[in-house]
Amino acid sequence: MNKPIRAISTFCLLLFLALMINVSYLQFWAAEDLNEHPGNARVAEAAFSRERGAIIVGRDPIARSVESDDRYEFLRKYPKPWLYANVTGYLQFASQTGLERSQNEILSGEDPRLFVNRLVDLVRNETNKGGNVLLTLDPEAQEAAYHALEAAVGPEGEGSVVAIEPKTGKILAMVSLPSYDPNELATHDFEAAGEAYRALEDDEREPLLNRAIQTRLFPGSTFKIVTAAAALDSGDYAVDDLVPSGATYQPNGVGNVIDNEGRTACDAEKITFETAMAWSCNTAFARMAVELGEDALREQAEEFGFNSDSFDDLPSSVESVFPTGDLEDTFLAQTGFGQFEVQATPLQMAMVAAAVANRGTLMKPYLVEEVQSAEYETLETTDPEELRSAIGAGAAQDLTDLLVATVDEGTANVAAIPGLSVAGKTGTAQRGDGLPPYAWFTSFAPAENAEVAVAVMIQEAPGKDISGGGLGGPVAKAVMEAVLQ
């Protein structure tokens, strides 16, 4: 072989080796990173064109893929968009929110548990299909929660409802208003989708926000359940005791004077624990909070789930907050009835009610009941998980009795259901500066063996008198009746 040919051969061999090294690197080391790179349009287009699995409530899909006759083979559709938007989220090119995001691997068919299905599809020369996600939501409870909340807050209002099965932690209803139509965001007309998204982003009422898990507000008097639990669990108070109260209370003679907003049943220096809860006496719970001390109250709040996040099934949930650091008595007193810096999400207050209803045991809340193959074969079922014992069983029973009395004889009687024992608590949280308050209502039923615990939050209700009992109570009642019917 003469020299020029040898040189060309050597050069070609080097090029071949370089090509093989590069191919090996791309196939075996860099493939995963390249596939997941947000700028990889081929992967994004293939994923967007794929037939995703369905998100199912009861027997009906609330998100599914239908064939499309444009450049993408399938289009995501949401049959009941307004009812479930804040749970499903929406699918767009290279992005997802809600369950579309948290369950993306199973819905897109990329989950390792679907490997055999992908292999079968490959052998059959068929397009890979995504798996399905079955939710814990009760369709009747979800409908009842949505329509009752919509009626309570009005067309311009804002609020949320969460219902939980206390014994398991299953989420039976999760509603956030205002809602939106995810079909407008999932359309293949990207210009129209962009306009729809900008309109939602510019809406001051933040319809894209899932208020059930992403909005935390002062819980107001519904937090008295936490204070009462700390008091009963401490052993220093019993359900039949007289507790300190009074027409007004000013801790250590400094700070704001606390009163009972006209509830004269609270005015005596000593009142029964039942009267304090039934008539939501601010002075009684403020005094108890100071007597219990900051550490005991914080520990009790954290046992119920404050200052942590135990909900995994949807992205971007926020922690409910009990303040840390040394609290002066004037602030600790306000914390005892859900003001100062204590803040909670609707999911958190539903967890508090559910733990009391479940004899003190707090279950981990979950929304995904089961993941399935495209042929509806079960791949995994969620097992209920006990988070912790939030309060002792005896204290939980005593607290239940106080909350039943609050419905039977006190401020929460709007949630009473004939023939059924219902436990409940109202809450109205002041936010100052002449603004209307936030309203809350939390309840569970049947009180002796609860099947459902509910939390209702009213953030805005233009043109209406906002109160926990007046607006939140009927919503909670409607949801409890829907579950128990």
Side-chain angles (χ1 to χ4, degrees):
M1 184 180 296
N2 61 37
K3 188 174 180 179
I5 293 176
R6 189 165 58 248
I8 291 173
S9 299
T10 302
F11 180 68
C12 289
L13 179 62
L14 290 174
L15 287 178
F16 179 75
L17 288 174
L19 177 64
M20 292 306 297
I21 291 171
N22 189 47
V23 168
S24 299
Y25 170 75
L26 291 174
Q27 289 291 328
F28 296 101
W29 281 280
E32 186 173 347
D33 289 341
L34 290 171
N35 283 339
E36 294 177 355
H37 195 285
N40 190 336
R42 275 187 73 183
V43 172
E45 290 211 10
F48 195 58
S49 289
R50 191 175 301 153
E51 184 177 4
R52 289 169 70 89
I55 300 173
I56 303 169
V57 171
R59 296 183 176 181
D60 300 322
I62 59 171
R64 59 191 172 93
S65 292
V66 298
E67 290 189 13
S68 177
D69 57 3
D70 54 27
R71 62 179 295 189
Y72 303 105
E73 294 181 28
F74 289 93
L75 173 67
R76 202 61 168 162
K77 298 292 287 184
Y78 302 88
K80 295 185 177 180
W82 301 91
L83 191 58
Y84 293 104
N86 294 109
V87 174
T88 61
Y90 57 86
L91 174 75
Q92 284 189 319
F93 184 80
S95 70
Q96 312 90 25
T97 64
L99 285 167
E100 295 280 21
R101 176 177 158 189
S102 66
Q103 303 300 313
N104 183 55
E105 283 207 343
I106 190 75
L107 292 169
S108 66
E110 295 170 358
D111 190 288
R113 289 168 291 186
L114 294 171
F115 174 76
V116 175
N117 301 74
R118 288 201 297 270
L119 201 59
V120 171
D121 290 339
L122 183 65
V123 171
R124 292 176 176 172
N125 196 29
E126 294 178 353
T127 305
N128 178 32
K129 297 178 183 177
N132 305 310
V133 176
L134 177 66
L135 305 187
T136 60
L137 293 176
D138 177 326
E140 284 77 23
Q142 184 78 3
E143 292 259 6
Y146 182 88
H147 294 301
L149 182 63
E150 190 177 42
V153 301
E156 301 299 319
E158 302 167 19
S160 177
V161 183
V162 176
I164 293 178
E165 186 177 79
K167 293 183 179 67
T168 60
K170 288 181 181 178
I171 294 178
L172 303 175
M174 179 177 282
V175 168
S176 178
L177 290 181
S179 187
Y180 64 95
D181 184 352
N183 292 302
E184 295 179 353
L185 301 172
T187 174
H188 291 175
D189 182 342
F190 293 166
E191 185 175 345
E195 289 180 8
Y197 180 79
R198 285 189 291 275
L200 292 168
E201 274 284 279
D202 292 341
D203 190 330
E204 293 180 350
R205 297 182 303 149
E206 300 181 283
L208 293 175
L209 195 66
N210 184 352
R211 287 174 161 77
I213 59 171
Q214 294 177 313
T215 296
R216 58 188 181 207
L217 305 172
F218 305 125
S221 292
T222 54
F223 191 80
K224 289 170 182 170
I225 298 174
V226 179
T227 305
L232 293 168
D233 220 25
S234 70
D236 296 335
Y237 296 85
V239 69
D240 296 325
D241 280 353
L242 295 176
V243 298
S245 186
T248 60
Y249 172 51
Q250 189 174 27
N252 297 328
V254 297
N256 295 331
V257 175
I258 296 166
D259 62 28
N260 296 303
E261 300 172 0
R263 296 184 287 273
T264 55
C266 311
D267 287 353
E269 289 302 307
K270 291 277 189 178
I271 59 176
T272 66
F273 210 147
E274 183 176 300
T275 297
M277 183 66 83
W279 292 100
S280 199
C281 301
N282 291 339
T283 55
F285 285 90
R287 287 178 184 274
M288 274 194 278
V290 173
E291 289 186 6
L292 288 164
E294 176 186 344
D295 290 344
L297 202 55
R298 178 184 299 113
E299 182 179 336
Q300 183 62 75
E302 291 180 347
E303 291 291 344
F304 277 119
F306 283 77
N307 296 338
S308 64
D309 181 16
S310 55
F311 182 58
D312 304 326
D313 286 348
L314 286 173
S316 306
S317 62
V318 298
E319 293 181 1
S320 295
V321 176
F322 186 92
T324 56
D326 294 332
L327 294 179
E328 296 177 13
D329 283 355
T330 186
F331 300 129
L332 182 57
Q334 295 174 47
T335 300
F337 56 94
Q339 294 281 172
F340 185 52
E341 293 181 350
V342 60
Q343 294 197 326
T345 64
L347 175 62
Q348 175 62 72
M349 294 317 297
M351 289 169 63
V352 170
V356 177
N358 195 32
R359 298 294 181 263
T361 300
L362 178 64
M363 303 300 291
K364 182 181 173 70
Y366 63 100
L367 188 58
V368 175
E369 175 82 69
E370 186 175 297
V371 293
Q372 307 169 338
S373 70
E375 289 73 32
Y376 301 98
E377 297 166 333
T378 301
L379 300 175
E380 184 177 349
T381 301
T382 305
D383 293 323
E385 179 183 343
E386 181 179 326
L387 279 178
R388 65 184 73 89
S389 175
I391 52 172
Q397 180 58 60
D398 290 342
L399 187 47
T400 298
D401 293 341
L402 294 175
L403 295 172
V404 170
T406 305
V407 173
D408 289 346
E409 305 164 11
T411 56
N413 61 354
V414 68
I417 300 174
L420 204 64
S421 180
V422 178
K425 183 74 192 78
T426 58
T428 305
Q430 306 300 326
R431 51 174 164 164
D433 300 329
L435 296 170
Y438 304 125
W440 291 81
F441 196 95
T442 186
S443 60
F444 57 88
E448 63 278 6
N449 187 23
E451 296 180 30
V452 57
V454 185
V456 181
M457 181 271 284
I458 309 291
Q459 189 173 358
E460 300 282 355
K464 299 193 176 189
D465 292 330
I466 296 181
S467 68
L471 293 185
V475 180
K477 180 180 178 180
V479 177
M480 290 188 291
E481 288 179 326
V483 174
L484 299 172
Q485 67 184 356

